[in-house]
Amino acid sequence: VDMTVALAMKAAIGDVSRFDDPQKLVSYLGLNPSVRQSGPGPAYHGRITKQGRGHARGMLVEAAWAAARAPGPLRAFFLRVRARRGQHVAAVATARKLSVVVWHLLMKGESCAWARPSLHAKKLRDVELKAGSKAVRGQKGAAHAYNIKSHREEERRWVEQAEGAYARFVAGWNQRGPRKARTDAANEVRR
């Protein structure tokens, strides 16, 4: 997420404490799936509702496409969903996941655990320079580490390890549970 998206999200969300849980923020941004259900029948989940902040939703989807190209757990999530549902659904699902991460980060007042420190420092320095801070030549600040190729590659390997850990963590997940348990439960409902 670059600073433009971060500032736009902060402007769209405002005070994050008005959202009790991350699902309320997801709903505010219109990234939650629509649900149709009548009586005790099954619920049918459809496309996202698109109710709420369209500009912020669009920026999150664009950030999700960028997250799909950069190493990290969000990329592993994108690839897992893309394998089942296609890349466009995966991008929206990643945007939804990103909005949940944003909620947690803003509520806790922390930085992302998977952020590359030198890239983060470079982005902050770029914002400072755009805001009018003077460029000081000859001094090496925190953002200088991003200019060192070996340092960038080391941080990239670290984030790739986090991506691999996430992929291994969710590799055995079966979203709907074992097939036998599903059919037994469905037969009891029909009786």
Side-chain angles (χ1 to χ4, degrees):
V1 174
D2 68 351
M3 289 301 150
T4 306
V5 175
L7 292 174
M9 287 304 303
K10 183 65 178 156
I13 293 171
D15 183 19
V16 74
S17 64
R18 64 188 178 130
F19 301 104
D20 296 333
D21 61 0
Q23 299 310 317
K24 297 209 177 182
L25 176 60
V26 168
S27 180
Y28 177 74
L29 295 171
L31 288 168
N32 55 334
S34 60
V35 179
R36 295 178 305 280
Q37 183 177 14
S38 178
Y44 296 98
H45 298 278
R47 299 169 186 245
I48 61 172
T49 60
K50 294 187 180 179
Q51 300 295 314
R53 298 286 190 153
H55 183 65
R57 182 174 53 252
M59 292 192 91
L60 272 177
V61 171
E62 290 299 321
W65 282 110
R69 290 188 304 272
L74 286 174
R75 179 173 183 224
F77 175 78
F78 174 86
L79 295 174
R80 184 170 62 96
V81 175
R82 185 183 75 178
R84 289 182 323 204
R85 306 284 312 272
Q87 66 180 3
H88 296 288
V89 173
V92 173
T94 305
R96 184 195 167 284
K97 172 89 65 181
L98 195 55
S99 67
V100 171
V101 169
V102 165
W103 183 85
H104 282 286
L105 293 177
L106 290 175
M107 286 298 282
K108 295 174 185 172
E110 298 176 353
S111 294
C112 184
W114 307 306
R116 294 164 37 192
S118 63
L119 178 61
H120 182 82
K122 179 187 179 305
K123 288 179 180 181
L124 288 176
R125 183 61 182 153
D126 288 345
V127 168
E128 289 175 0
L129 292 172
K130 287 180 184 176
S133 180
K134 291 187 177 188
V136 181
R137 302 282 181 201
Q139 292 185 353
K140 296 180 181 177
H144 176 70
Y146 188 74
N147 297 329
I148 304 169
K149 186 175 181 180
S150 62
H151 197 272
R152 280 195 319 264
E153 289 174 353
E154 181 182 337
E155 285 183 353
R156 187 175 179 90
R157 280 192 301 275
W158 177 71
V159 176
E160 286 170 348
Q161 287 176 351
E163 178 182 343
Y166 176 83
R168 286 188 301 276
F169 177 68
V170 299
W173 286 5
N174 185 358
Q175 191 174 11
R176 295 185 179 158
R179 190 159 199 67
K180 185 176 184 228
R182 271 199 335 250
T183 56
D184 292 343
N187 290 337
E188 286 185 26
V189 171
R190 291 182 192 151
R191 290 182 192 168

